[in-house]
Amino acid sequence: MQAMLQVDPATAKGPTKAAFDEATAQFGGVINLFRVAGNAPNVLGGILAMNKAFGSDITISGKQVEQVAMLVSALNRCDYCVNVHMQVGKGQGLSETDMLDAMAGRANDLADQALLDYTNEVVRNRGLVSDATMARVRSAGFPDRALLEVIGVVGVYTTLQYIRHVGHPEQDFPIVAAFDVGKHGANDGAAYKAS
């Protein structure tokens, strides 16, 4: 598939420049994925607005956001986003092992594991979560607000991952060699339930 054109931040104007300025404010620059998304500044601007809201007022921790984002990236078969979140997760204080575990839907902390089990069902089953998984994630201390925030994180990153798949931007982060689309990616089929 042919890659979509990337908008050059140096020549961007109007709403695209505004979106790129916001990306720079939030992330320190305009990554290749955002350069592709810059073709639709209303889409990129919406993604960035939601991301900014998560950064300023969210119940789950920055580490948990990155664990969820890593799992969503793997399930959605997005190598680009796996590479990005490995770096961002480390910036949040998670180890490489923590992030590789999250990529596989695992965590050492019981509350984090309950959150990843919930995320796994949300993504794989398109929002249909079993009563048992809901009971576990609530008993792990996550109120409904946190569970809705996870859905918001899933939505933001799923949108970006679909843009990556359609737009084919070049990688601009170190490759996570352990990522295996066949092993980590979600397949359509029977409903997933956390064990």
Side-chain angles (χ1 to χ4, degrees):
M1 182 182 293
Q2 188 173 4
M4 288 184 174
L5 293 176
Q6 294 185 21
V7 179
D8 183 351
T11 60
K13 294 180 174 53
T16 302
K17 182 181 182 327
F20 284 174
D21 288 347
E22 182 60 32
T24 300
Q26 288 186 36
F27 299 100
V30 182
I31 62 175
N32 290 337
L33 180 60
F34 292 164
R35 291 176 186 212
V36 168
N39 285 293
N42 53 340
V43 173
L44 179 57
I47 290 167
L48 292 168
M50 200 162 183
N51 188 72
K52 186 175 183 177
F54 291 153
S56 63
D57 185 24
I58 192 165
T59 305
I60 61 177
S61 71
K63 289 181 179 181
Q64 290 166 334
V65 168
E66 285 309 310
Q67 288 172 304
V68 166
M70 179 60 104
L71 177 56
V72 173
S73 300
L75 291 172
N76 283 334
R77 301 169 169 252
C78 186
D79 57 344
Y80 185 99
C81 292
V82 164
N83 300 336
V84 170
H85 290 292
M86 176 60 79
Q87 300 307 311
V88 178
K90 288 178 181 178
Q92 286 290 330
L94 292 159
S95 69
E96 182 171 341
T97 300
D98 292 333
M99 293 305 286
L100 292 174
D101 284 347
M103 185 172 72
R106 295 187 308 263
N108 288 326
D109 179 84
L110 291 177
D112 292 345
Q113 184 62 59
L115 197 66
L116 290 177
D117 289 343
Y118 169 78
T119 301
N120 227 326
E121 287 192 29
V122 166
V123 174
R124 290 176 185 263
N125 301 342
R126 296 166 180 85
L128 301 174
V129 180
S130 69
D131 290 344
T133 298
M134 286 296 286
R136 274 197 307 276
V137 75
R138 283 181 169 142
S139 69
F142 295 101
D144 288 349
R145 176 178 172 161
L147 301 182
L148 292 170
E149 290 169 345
V150 168
I151 292 171
V153 171
V154 168
V156 164
Y157 290 114
T158 297
T159 301
L160 285 169
Q161 289 148 18
Y162 288 5
I163 292 169
R164 185 277 184 262
H165 293 318
V166 172
H168 292 286
E170 298 117 15
Q171 299 287 348
D172 47 5
F173 287 84
I175 304 296
V176 177
F179 176 60
D180 179 335
V181 170
K183 176 181 175 184
H184 298 105
N187 293 314
D188 287 340
Y192 174 83
K193 289 188 181 171
S195 54

